[in-house]
């Protein structure tokens, strides 16, 4: 799996409210309407941290400080691996450029999204870790 391309997701948390930012997918059809941690593919020669900053600037119109990775890595396909990095907004107000909607959720909201199957399946692996952090 050393040749796998990376996809990076941002676990964007507002430290003041202890809420996580979720983005609602517009496409592809199999996940349209579901919610995810925003992000995208890491380009050749780009670090995951730089990719997340670029993707969140493009998708949400915000600047972020990128932190450490969440524990799990998710194999999306043989050639594609999803990772999540912690992030905090340092400039801008998120707006849904590439998504249908954005929503800030607390532990109750995140738990409900997970229970009701409203999260993109690949992102569900991080729910226990995120619930711990938000409940903190």
């Amino acid at each position: 799996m050393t040749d796998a391309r990376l996809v990076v997701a941002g676990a964007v948390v507002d430290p003041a409210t202890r809420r996580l930012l979720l983005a609602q997918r517009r496409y592809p059809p199999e996940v349209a309407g579901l919610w995810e941690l925003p992000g995208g593919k890491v380009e050749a020669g780009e670090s995951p941290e730089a990719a997340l900053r670029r993707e969140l600037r493009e998708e949400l119109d915000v600047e972020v400080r990128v932190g450490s990775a969440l524990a799990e890595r998710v194999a999306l396909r043989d050639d594609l691996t999803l990772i999540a990095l912690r992030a905090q907004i340092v400039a801008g107000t998120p707006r849904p450029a590439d998504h249908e909607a954005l929503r800030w959720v607390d532990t109750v909201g995140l738990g409900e999204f997970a229970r009701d199957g409203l999260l993109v399946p690949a992102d569900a692996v991080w729910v226990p870790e995120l619930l711990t952090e938000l409940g903190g």
Side-chain angles (χ1 to χ4, degrees), residues 18-78:
R18 303 203 66 77
R19 291 179 185 255
L20 173 72
L21 184 64
L22 294 178
Q24 189 177 34
R25 295 289 308 241
R26 284 188 179 151
Y27 57 87
E30 59 270 15
V31 293
L34 296 179
W35 295 81
E36 68 176 355
L37 301 179
K41 289 183 181 165
V42 178
E43 300 297 335
E46 189 176 44
S47 71
E49 295 82 5
L52 184 61
R53 284 190 293 273
R54 175 184 51 76
E55 287 286 346
L56 296 185
R57 187 171 38 255
E58 292 171 1
E59 291 183 5
L60 305 177
D61 198 27
V62 296
E63 297 295 328
V64 296
R65 177 175 38 251
V66 178
S68 61
L70 297 180
E72 299 294 325
R73 296 170 69 93
V74 180
L76 297 174
R77 303 186 313 238
D78 287 344

Side-chain angles (χ1 to χ4, degrees), residues 78-115:
D78 287 344
D79 63 338
L80 209 55
T81 300
L82 176 64
I83 64 170
L85 300 173
R86 291 168 178 86
Q88 186 176 47
I89 295 172
V90 295
T93 299
R95 61 176 189 80
D98 284 351
H99 293 88
E100 190 63 33
L102 300 176
R103 186 169 299 161
W104 289 98
V105 296
D106 59 12
T107 55
V108 172
L110 181 58
E112 289 173 354
F113 273 58
R115 180 196 68 218

